[in-house]
Amino acid sequence: QTILCPPRSFDYSQKNAVLVPAAALGVGGVLVYWLTSRHKIKTIEMGDGWWGSGERPLKGKEDESIRPFKIETSDKEIEDLHRRLEQARYTPPLEGAAFHYGFNSSYLQKVVAYWRNQFDWRKQVEVLNKYPHFRTTIEGIDIHFIHVKPSYVPHGRAVQPLLMVHGWPGSFYEFYKIIPLLTEPARHSLNEGDVVFEVICPSIPGYGFSEAPHQKGFDSIATARIFHKLMNRLGFKEYYLQGGDWGSHITTNMAQMLPQSVKGLHLNVVFDNKRGLRRMISVMLGAYVPWLVGFTREDVRRMYPFIQKNIYELLRESGYLHIQATKPDTAGCGLNDSPVGLAAYILEKFSTWTDKSFLHKDDGGLESKYSLDELLTNVMIYWVTSSIVSSMRFYKENISKGSLTADARVGVYVPTGIAAFPQELAHTPRTWAKEIFKNLITYSYMPRGGHFAAFEEPKLLAEDIMHFVRKVEQL
């Protein structure tokens, strides 16, 4: 027995020598997997789609050519517009109503008189064509975009591709004043041109000169995928994104979908759909001890009184949203048939979304920030393309199926910059924004301006975009 024992103990120790490291390796492997999976970035599935008419062709590759495009008009188009403007009917406004009941019809008659007798659509078409326009077919529909490259690049400077996306009821035209500031910054005394962009501004499908989807279900995620495909088709592997309104949501989805392609995301509005007890407590405490919940004095100034600014005012300004998110085609057919109705519906948003106090002005304060030529050019883009109904449908596709809240659960990990304008419809403090945007590089309290930042305050927005990109490039 004494002779046989040592070999047994030797066998046992041999097993230990094998089993212990194996167990340690197994536990270690599980631990490493757990740690890496915890930090794995969740993304939105890119997927694929078909938005053309009828069934998707089984054979044949999609035409990926990029075709030059030019906006044109005709005598017939202008004559039809003039005839409709001349036959408009108006309801007299209530005395002292200003813009409290919507677009004041007395001022509307002045706008229509200018539109009929002084507005030169042919001249504005020339203005629109001053930048290069293109179209390309993606997922069965024609996508319109402008692509503006810098005329001069300082020696040693890299040109940064920047995709800028508009919202409703705007268009690619919103960016016409900011484009030269971004593509030729030195010429406009913007930091000696140390950051230079080439700018791509697409029209959201169903808006303006981008073809409307023919199938149901076209939402912001489908738009994000199409715009990624557009940038890839243009030869870009990495690029910056900028957006406001729907453009903010679309570019955020782009960052959530392919973060490896997005060098940075800049937004001039943040949609925060988060609710719950924690958020309610921060709102309650924020008015009295803002520092305790991470609010600044400026956050408090912009957010309170909370009920008035975040419930009453939002309800007053969002009636259109409820219509467009449920039955857009019903209201839309009237707007598509009447240029006067279309102008009232669209331009009213350029009043109170630019400055809430414009509600008290008989002319809605419209001409204090924009020219009638600028405002009517944007309206004409909807009119000549008959795109108001398809643009309104975008609300139903996004809101009715809850895609706005579904992708809100996916964090944004790309470098992000936020320009918070004081007259925006709702204010999102930095501490709330950081819950969504995990890599927040810049957050700027802008000194003035509202919802249509690029259209209203192009220099302020351009400076903030450059400040953000400069910081990202230095990382």
Side-chain angles (χ1 to χ4, degrees), residues 304-361:
Y304 296 91
F306 193 83
I307 299 295
Q308 180 193 327
K309 292 189 175 182
N310 295 273
I311 297 177
Y312 173 70
E313 288 181 3
L314 276 181
L315 282 172
R316 185 190 67 210
E317 295 299 330
S318 60
Y320 79 98
L321 187 148
H322 299 280
I323 293 169
Q324 294 176 192
T326 51
K327 297 184 178 180
D329 288 32
T330 304
C333 61
L335 302 176
N336 194 45
D337 189 59
S338 166
V340 175
L342 181 70
Y345 196 72
I346 288 177
L347 296 186
E348 183 243 307
K349 305 306 176 198
F350 283 87
S351 168
T352 46
W353 291 7
T354 296
D355 190 318
K356 299 176 186 74
S357 70
F358 288 173
L359 197 71
H360 310 297
K361 298 190 173 188

Side-chain angles (χ1 to χ4, degrees), residues 107-121:
Y107 177 63
L108 181 60
Q109 290 180 68
K110 293 178 184 177
V111 172
V112 172
Y114 180 87
W115 197 359
R116 170 62 183 86
N117 303 313
Q118 292 170 265
F119 178 77
D120 188 343
W121 175 231

Side-chain angles (χ1 to χ4, degrees), residues 293-455:
V293 291
F295 291 174
T296 65
R297 287 182 180 179
E298 185 61 19
D299 290 329
V300 173
R301 196 181 71 80
R302 295 186 184 193
M303 290 173 66
Y304 296 91
F306 193 83
I307 299 295
Q308 180 193 327
K309 292 189 175 182
N310 295 273
I311 297 177
Y312 173 70
E313 288 181 3
L314 276 181
L315 282 172
R316 185 190 67 210
E317 295 299 330
S318 60
Y320 79 98
L321 187 148
H322 299 280
I323 293 169
Q324 294 176 192
T326 51
K327 297 184 178 180
D329 288 32
T330 304
C333 61
L335 302 176
N336 194 45
D337 189 59
S338 166
V340 175
L342 181 70
Y345 196 72
I346 288 177
L347 296 186
E348 183 243 307
K349 305 306 176 198
F350 283 87
S351 168
T352 46
W353 291 7
T354 296
D355 190 318
K356 299 176 186 74
S357 70
F358 288 173
L359 197 71
H360 310 297
K361 298 190 173 188
D362 289 340
D363 63 356
L366 281 167
E367 292 175 76
S368 62
K369 292 286 186 175
Y370 317 100
S371 72
L372 283 181
D373 280 347
E374 289 170 346
L375 292 167
L376 290 170
T377 296
N378 183 64
V379 172
M380 284 295 288
I381 289 169
Y382 282 86
W383 176 254
V384 299
T385 58
S386 293
S387 60
I388 188 63
V389 176
S390 50
S391 76
M392 292 162 71
R393 286 175 185 159
F394 201 56
Y395 284 79
K396 183 172 178 66
E397 303 293 17
N398 280 289
I399 295 169
S400 63
K401 64 183 188 182
S403 65
L404 291 183
T405 51
D407 52 81
R409 292 191 288 269
V410 178
V412 179
Y413 293 88
V414 306
T416 304
I418 294 171
F421 285 83
Q423 288 293 330
E424 187 51 82
L425 292 168
H427 176 68
T428 302
R430 182 189 184 107
T431 187
W432 289 2
K434 284 173 74 175
E435 293 176 19
I436 307 163
F437 304 97
K438 312 296 184 182
N439 189 6
L440 192 57
I441 304 296
T442 63
Y443 182 100
S444 310
Y445 293 100
M446 306 306 280
R448 62 185 179 276
H451 190 70
F452 304 99
F455 204 36

Side-chain angles (χ1 to χ4, degrees), residues 185-199:
R187 190 176 289 184
H188 297 88
S189 305
L190 288 173
N191 301 306
E192 303 303 317
D194 62 335
V195 177
V196 182
F197 298 93
E198 61 178 296
V199 179

Side-chain angles (χ1 to χ4, degrees), residues 14-305:
Q14 266 190 330
K15 284 179 183 176
N16 273 353
V18 174
L19 289 172
V20 171
L25 194 65
V27 171
V30 170
L31 186 64
V32 168
Y33 175 78
W34 179 72
L35 287 169
T36 54
S37 64
R38 273 181 74 216
H39 296 287
K40 190 178 179 183
I41 295 173
K42 189 179 177 184
T43 58
I44 292 175
E45 189 71 36
M46 188 162 181
D48 199 9
W50 169 258
W51 309 104
S53 185
E55 295 282 325
R56 186 174 200 159
L58 295 174
K59 292 181 181 179
K61 195 178 178 184
E62 191 163 70
D63 177 12
E64 294 188 358
S65 64
I66 293 169
R67 308 175 293 276
F69 175 76
K70 195 173 181 181
I71 298 170
E72 296 176 337
T73 188
S74 64
D75 290 340
K76 185 179 178 182
E77 184 176 74
I78 295 170
E79 286 165 9
D80 175 66
L81 171 70
H82 287 175
R83 177 182 59 80
R84 291 169 186 263
L85 293 177
E86 289 163 0
Q87 293 178 353
R89 300 189 305 174
Y90 302 90
T91 302
L94 295 170
E95 292 179 14
F99 263 56
H100 285 275
Y101 284 71
F103 206 105
N104 186 291
S105 58
S106 293
Y107 177 63
L108 181 60
Q109 290 180 68
K110 293 178 184 177
V111 172
V112 172
Y114 180 87
W115 197 359
R116 170 62 183 86
N117 303 313
Q118 292 170 265
F119 178 77
D120 188 343
W121 175 231
R122 290 189 187 280
K123 181 183 172 185
Q124 294 308 119
V125 165
E126 288 179 20
V127 171
L128 290 173
N129 283 326
K130 77 175 180 177
Y131 294 130
H133 292 248
F134 302 91
R135 267 179 156 185
T136 188
T137 306
I138 304 177
E139 298 189 5
I141 52 176
D142 285 343
I143 306 301
H144 161 262
F145 63 98
I146 57 174
H147 186 179
V148 189
K149 298 179 181 181
S151 57
Y152 166 74
V153 181
H155 181 68
R157 300 296 182 196
V159 178
Q160 303 294 345
L162 174 65
L163 180 83
M164 304 188 79
V165 185
H166 66 88
W168 188 92
S171 64
F172 66 93
Y173 178 61
E174 283 181 71
F175 302 115
Y176 267 50
K177 288 185 277 189
I178 198 172
I179 286 172
L181 308 183
L182 296 169
T183 56
E184 300 174 316
R187 190 176 289 184
H188 297 88
S189 305
L190 288 173
N191 301 306
E192 303 303 317
D194 62 335
V195 177
V196 182
F197 298 93
E198 61 178 296
V199 179
I200 301 94
C201 299
S203 294
I204 298 170
Y207 288 68
F209 299 99
S210 275
E211 186 178 353
H214 297 269
Q215 311 294 332
K216 293 186 293 183
F218 187 86
D219 58 9
S220 64
I221 293 172
T223 313
R225 182 178 63 245
I226 282 176
F227 287 172
H228 270 307
K229 289 182 177 182
L230 171 64
M231 294 301 277
N232 187 254
R233 194 170 290 184
L234 291 171
F236 300 115
K237 301 300 177 193
E238 288 185 311
Y239 31 89
Y240 285 93
L241 307 174
Q242 202 287 324
D245 196 84
W246 277 124
S248 169
H249 196 65
I250 292 163
T251 54
T252 298
N253 286 164
M254 291 178 75
Q256 294 166 319
M257 187 178 284
L258 288 179
Q260 67 272 24
S261 295
V262 180
K263 291 185 79 176
L265 169 69
H266 187 279
L267 308 172
N268 55 271
V269 64
V270 173
F271 297 105
D272 179 30
N273 298 315
K274 215 163 188 180
R275 300 289 180 267
L277 183 62
R278 187 179 168 188
R279 182 56 52 87
M280 193 187 300
I281 291 169
S282 70
V283 167
M284 291 167 66
L285 293 176
Y288 305 101
V289 280
W291 51 269
L292 193 62
V293 291
F295 291 174
T296 65
R297 287 182 180 179
E298 185 61 19
D299 290 329
V300 173
R301 196 181 71 80
R302 295 186 184 193
M303 290 173 66
Y304 296 91

